[in-house]
Amino acid sequence: MSQMLDFDDNAARAMEAMYLTPDVVGQRAKVIEMLAPAPGEHVLDIGVGPGLLAYDMARMVGEGGRLAGLDASAAMLKVARTRLAALPQAECIQGDATELRFPDESFDIAVSTQVHEYVADMGKALKELHRVVKPGGRALILDTDWRSVVWHSSDQARMDRVLLCWDDHLADPHLPATLGAGMRKAGFGMLRVEIVPMLSPQWQPVSYAAGIMKSIRGYAMANGERHGLSGEEVQAWYDDQLRLAERGEFFFSVNRYAFLGVRQAAVEGP
Ligand SMILES: C[S@@+](CC[C@H](N)C(=O)[O-])C[C@H]1O[C@@H](n2cnc3c(N)ncnc32)[C@H](O)[C@@H]1O
């Protein structure tokens, strides 16, 4: 059973810090390179979070364009609105990825990074995505497949249990494996698929790996019981990583996958 994250004020602060690390800065550069937003275009960012990608994209479309950021979390929207306050072309609204409250064919671009893995009804979310993008418009979805993790540990069995527990924080921890097919079925032609690695071949205190370690510890402390994980074991798992870091033996890698589609006129199949 999945027990998803609560995107409250604390989570919003932690996420903003993690998403300012070099790995995630690189991810945003890759997403922008793939989408190539042009001045005057209308962009929807679904699950806008702290608004970091939205800020860059809003500046690229300029005051003649439009950036709409949508998020389910009031705490996240507070952070995004502060970041985007000086850009008149940007607006943020509260809403759900499965019910986009915009007219049909409103956007040249829809983007959503690290959001759909939290969405239980992907069929509905992709149908909505297709509806709000103009024919010929682009849609990019990026999510993590937690099966791609390579993470050194002194106790691999304990690491496996911690990661199994962490899988529960998402509706689908392996979404990328089915996302391309889902987008094609929803009526998108696939233009490009890219791997975006979060890679720490050695310990760096300011990194995605260091941030996600704290998030996993917090989540497993609160939810580990159903995987037979005690608080002591979760702390021992965390301390092991710090020891490996001290010895120069830390290694972490996980892949995110970016799917860029173009909206076609007709939806395939039933
Ligand atoms: C991991 S954060 C990613 C934020 C941002 N897209 C980024 O990459 O910086 C996930 C975001 O998705 C939002 N979210 C999760 N489920 C959602 C849903 N069903 N509809 C809209 N937003 C959702 C959360 O509130 C959170 O802000």
Side-chain angles (χ1 to χ4, degrees):
M1 189 189 65
S2 138
Q3 177 60 49
M4 281 190 266
L5 285 186
D6 188 10
F7 288 100
D8 57 12
D9 287 321
N10 285 338
R13 269 192 297 277
M15 193 145 297
E16 187 179 32
M18 206 178 344
Y19 281 16
L20 285 164
T21 60
D23 286 317
V24 192
V25 171
Q27 169 189 304
R28 282 193 292 281
K30 168 61 80 180
V31 166
I32 284 173
E33 181 263 311
M34 289 174 78
L35 282 169
E41 287 196 304
H42 289 205
V43 179
L44 171 63
D45 186 345
I46 302 167
V48 65
L52 293 159
L53 177 65
Y55 180 83
D56 291 343
M57 296 199 58
R59 285 175 50 121
M60 293 182 82
V61 300
E63 290 191 19
R66 174 189 183 198
L67 183 292
L70 173 133
D71 206 286
S73 152
M76 285 295 192
L77 284 169
K78 204 161 61 182
V79 180
R81 283 190 178 121
T82 303
R83 175 158 283 112
L84 296 168
L87 301 175
Q89 67 272 36
E91 57 168 338
C92 287
I93 65 156
Q94 192 156 16
D96 197 278
T98 57
E99 272 185 51
L100 301 174
R101 285 181 284 123
F102 299 99
D104 296 356
E105 304 180 6
S106 296
F107 297 99
D108 303 290
I109 294 176
V111 63
S112 191
T113 61
Q114 292 291 118
V115 178
H116 285 89
E117 57 196 27
Y118 294 95
V119 173
D121 192 343
M122 266 308 281
K124 202 167 170 204
L126 288 174
K127 210 168 160 186
E128 276 292 88
L129 181 75
H130 185 268
R131 184 183 64 74
V132 300
V133 173
K134 297 176 187 171
R138 292 97 82 201
L140 186 148
I141 302 184
L142 175 146
D143 282 287
T144 303
D145 192 329
W146 279 96
R147 251 182 320 227
S148 67
V149 71
V150 179
W151 198 346
H152 180 48
S153 167
S154 307
D155 182 341
Q156 197 55 50
R158 183 178 60 203
M159 172 65 86
D160 291 347
R161 283 161 62 223
V162 170
L163 288 174
L164 204 60
C165 170
W166 179 238
D167 276 354
D168 289 355
H169 91 287
L170 296 170
D172 185 351
H174 312 303
L175 179 59
T178 54
L179 188 51
M183 286 178 72
R184 284 191 295 271
K185 192 170 169 207
F188 292 98
M190 203 50 65
L191 295 175
R192 250 174 99 181
V193 183
E194 296 281 340
I195 290 180
V196 182
M198 302 287 113
L199 172 64
S200 286
Q202 58 191 27
W203 176 250
Q204 280 166 340
V206 180
S207 61
Y208 173 80
I212 204 70
M213 247 169 74
K214 286 198 192 108
S215 297
I216 294 176
R217 178 180 59 173
Y219 182 84
M221 285 279 185
N223 300 283
E225 223 169 85
R226 83 177 86 94
H227 293 278
L229 276 168
S230 66
E232 290 74 29
E233 277 177 293
V234 174
Q235 189 58 46
W237 164 83
Y238 187 85
D239 292 342
D240 177 49
Q241 290 303 313
L242 296 182
R243 261 195 310 277
L244 290 171
E246 271 172 25
R247 296 208 300 256
E249 295 172 14
F250 182 86
F251 184 93
F252 170 89
S253 166
V254 71
N255 289 335
R256 295 175 170 187
Y257 297 82
F259 293 79
L260 174 65
V262 57
R263 183 192 151 160
Q264 293 169 334
V267 179
E268 284 172 32

